[in-house]
Amino acid sequence: MWRAPRRDSAITQCWKQPLYIDHADGSHVWDADGKEYIDYHTCAGAGLYGHNHPRIREAIGRAMDKGFFMNFDTAYHVELGKLLREVFPSCERVRLANTGSEATQAAIRVSRSFTGRDKVLKFEGHFHGMHENIWFNHNGVGKADEYGEVETAADSEGFPQNAKDSVVNVVFNNIDALEHAVQKYKGEIACVILEPISFNCGCYEARKQYLEQVRELCTREKIILIFDEVVCGLRMRPGSAQKYYGVTPDMTTMAKAIGGGLPIAAFGGRADIMNCLNPIGKTTVSGTYTGSYMPVIAAIECIKMAMEPGFYDQIEKIGNKLYRGIDDLFAKHGKKGHCRGVGARFAIYFGVENTEDDFDFRKVAAELDRSMYKKFVTECLPRGLWFHDTAGPVSPAHYGITIAHTEKDIDETLTRMDDIFKTF
Ligand SMILES: Cc1ncc(COP(=O)(O)O)c(C=O)c1O
């Protein structure tokens, strides 16, 4: 039998072979050998509703009955646009895309077109997709100057040398650092892009006052402010980070939970900015699979579910029980570390004290106990817990719960984790 090449991951270390999943249902997945796991990977965040949700299945079935086609607009595309606008109030106009990377690439292109400027300002640790416009300084701590500007460093080989020339990186949650960079590159910055809650740094929230200051600064300097809500969108009450913080960006990118596991993404924003796009303007974004019928129908069902009363009650009840339970385990076993969660996604910071004042990407990078982290993930597998090990060298991975997770799942998880903490 053919086996994929081995990787140095917790899975291969534990099972001596890659993990293949056979099927999934609700909050559980089963591997090819029939072993069952409680799933905290949740499709890298796409799975807010659990696997195999009957309403999403039914929606896909309806799309199949109509003939699965793409590249035609339907009344459902209009309905989806309206729903997205309701959840993400910044989106007076919306365009669909297939992946979060496409959405951020398009939003950056539109902001360049609107402002006539080239540079993109991003924040250290934040991730916005894998393209050459933006994949910098997610996976490492860069060299910072005294003002908090960080030397731009690509996260992959194969980028053209000059790709980094149009990216400015600064440390997050520090308005002076941002102000300094904006003055240094005055008139050159097209957009500031950020994750309002950076789940790509584990679970690192923007401070509300900071976001308000960023908003003011961008308005003053005529810079397009983009909230990348690819992960945080729909994750917490009342649905988007822009509503959660009460700060409205100029543009928003969305993906993952809006499609519940089907490939769909979107970007949107103020009408005057989005009017740069053709056929009104001269900026082009398009794709063969964009607006495929089946993901569109599924996304409508997903967003309707998230907007129903009680949806976030369940998320918060289950989430709080798990996050508090993990903190209790650190205390009970006398280990340094904590859990941080907002709504349906969370991260476990092994080795990092739970402080508010100095909690940031650099502190985590310096203190994160990677060997404890690795051990935890490895010990989860034989105990039927699926915590993936994509933690970068500097930040923990983000995990998630879904509406399919039950109190029984959480109790089971905490009991099995207690057993793991005894091994530390
Ligand atoms: C915040 C954020 N933006 C953009 C992306 C890219 O999305 P995709 O993997 O769908 O291209 C991701 C992916 O994890 C993400 O977390």
Side-chain angles (χ1 to χ4, degrees):
M1 186 180 132
W2 177 85
R3 287 200 193 285
R6 279 176 56 175
R7 293 183 298 133
D8 178 26
S9 71
I11 302 160
T12 46
Q13 277 168 25
C14 187
W15 294 138
K16 310 295 176 214
Q17 64 177 38
L19 182 75
Y20 292 102
I21 295 301
D22 179 72
H23 66 283
D25 192 51
S27 54
H28 291 223
V29 295
W30 285 259
D31 72 15
D33 297 322
K35 185 167 176 55
E36 185 174 350
Y37 304 82
I38 306 174
D39 178 20
Y40 291 99
H41 174 256
T42 58
C43 305
L48 180 61
Y49 317 89
H51 301 284
N52 207 18
H53 194 287
R55 279 174 65 177
I56 302 177
R57 277 179 73 104
E58 194 271 333
I60 293 170
R62 262 188 286 130
M64 286 182 75
D65 288 345
K66 295 240 186 182
F68 36 100
F69 54 85
M70 53 208 194
N71 261 313
F72 294 111
D73 284 336
T74 67
Y76 294 105
H77 290 71
V78 179
E79 185 179 357
L80 177 58
K82 286 181 177 164
L83 285 168
L84 288 171
R85 238 172 32 184
E86 227 173 290
V87 179
F88 302 93
S90 63
C91 295
E92 291 172 359
R93 299 252 199 285
V94 187
R95 281 276 176 112
L96 296 180
N98 301 288
T99 66
S101 295
E102 268 182 44
T104 57
Q105 190 172 33
I108 290 169
R109 184 177 302 164
V110 169
S111 66
R112 284 181 170 145
S113 162
F114 186 79
T115 59
R117 303 168 179 172
D118 275 355
K119 286 198 194 309
V120 174
L121 190 146
K122 70 174 291 289
F123 296 92
E124 189 179 37
H126 291 206
F127 174 71
H128 305 287
M130 294 226 265
H131 47 89
E132 281 79 347
N133 281 311
I134 202 69
W135 200 18
F136 297 92
N137 299 67
H138 166 53
N139 278 334
V141 176
K143 210 168 115 202
D145 68 14
E146 59 188 303
Y147 305 106
E149 183 181 347
V150 184
E151 207 171 83
T152 302
D155 282 310
S156 168
E157 290 187 359
F159 284 18
Q161 277 308 312
N162 62 1
K164 67 174 173 5
D165 297 348
S166 51
V167 178
V168 178
N169 253 283
V170 297
V171 293
F172 193 52
N173 265 341
N174 178 335
I175 197 65
D176 295 338
L178 180 61
E179 185 73 63
H180 186 270
V182 165
Q183 293 314 320
K184 179 172 167 189
Y185 302 101
K186 199 168 178 65
E188 293 181 68
I189 298 172
C191 61
V192 165
I193 184 167
L194 58 88
E195 293 182 82
I197 300 156
S198 182
F199 287 109
N200 287 293
C201 292
C203 177
Y204 179 23
E205 284 187 75
R207 296 195 189 97
K208 182 171 163 52
Q209 192 198 8
Y210 173 74
L211 272 194
E212 289 163 353
Q213 290 169 324
V214 174
R215 173 65 281 178
E216 276 172 32
L217 189 154
C218 286
T219 305
R220 191 188 75 213
E221 300 292 334
K222 298 185 171 36
I223 294 169
I224 305 294
L225 175 58
I226 305 172
F227 278 9
D228 182 354
E229 296 224 32
V230 163
V231 186
C232 62
L234 287 182
R235 209 61 63 179
M236 82 305 275
R237 192 193 304 264
S240 60
Q242 50 207 259
K243 282 187 171 175
Y244 176 76
Y245 282 105
V247 175
T248 307
D250 300 305
M251 296 190 79
T252 301
T253 53
M254 308 143 249
K256 299 201 191 250
I258 66 165
L262 276 90
I264 189 163
F267 64 100
R270 262 175 32 210
D272 59 330
I273 298 171
M274 291 295 282
N275 283 349
C276 286
L277 286 163
N278 69 351
I280 298 172
K282 291 187 176 160
T283 308
T284 303
V285 174
S286 106
T288 305
Y289 298 104
T290 305
S292 263
Y293 191 53
M294 207 180 285
V296 165
I297 302 272
I300 289 172
E301 205 56 36
C302 290
I303 297 168
K304 280 184 177 165
M305 270 196 272
M307 290 169 73
E308 283 168 6
F311 185 88
Y312 291 105
D313 293 344
Q314 167 71 3
I315 293 285
E316 285 166 7
K317 186 166 135 207
I318 295 292
N320 290 339
K321 182 173 176 135
L322 179 65
Y323 312 153
R324 271 206 305 270
I326 296 173
D327 278 343
D328 289 347
L329 288 176
F330 277 107
K332 175 179 167 186
H333 293 275
K335 297 290 169 199
K336 199 164 148 193
H338 71 286
C339 178
R340 268 170 192 259
V342 179
R345 285 204 91 69
F346 66 100
I348 308 174
Y349 288 87
F350 290 99
V352 184
E353 210 81 76
N354 188 4
T355 53
E356 288 308 323
D357 292 348
D358 66 345
F359 180 85
D360 73 9
F361 177 72
R362 289 180 167 241
K363 174 184 161 74
V364 171
E367 295 179 10
L368 189 70
D369 186 334
R370 287 166 201 81
S371 63
M372 199 174 174
Y373 198 109
K374 204 84 179 161
K375 183 149 202 279
F376 167 73
V377 174
T378 310
E379 294 291 335
C380 278
L381 292 164
R383 291 170 177 82
L385 297 176
W386 181 215
F387 284 89
H388 58 284
D389 71 341
T390 53
V394 284
S395 304
H398 57 99
Y399 300 118
I401 52 159
T402 68
I403 47 163
H405 282 76
T406 61
E407 293 212 43
K408 184 166 171 280
D409 285 331
I410 305 302
D411 289 338
E412 272 292 329
T413 300
L414 291 171
T415 304
R416 296 178 203 179
M417 282 177 75
D418 189 32
D419 201 33
I420 296 169
F421 269 69
K422 286 178 194 151
T423 70
F424 290 153

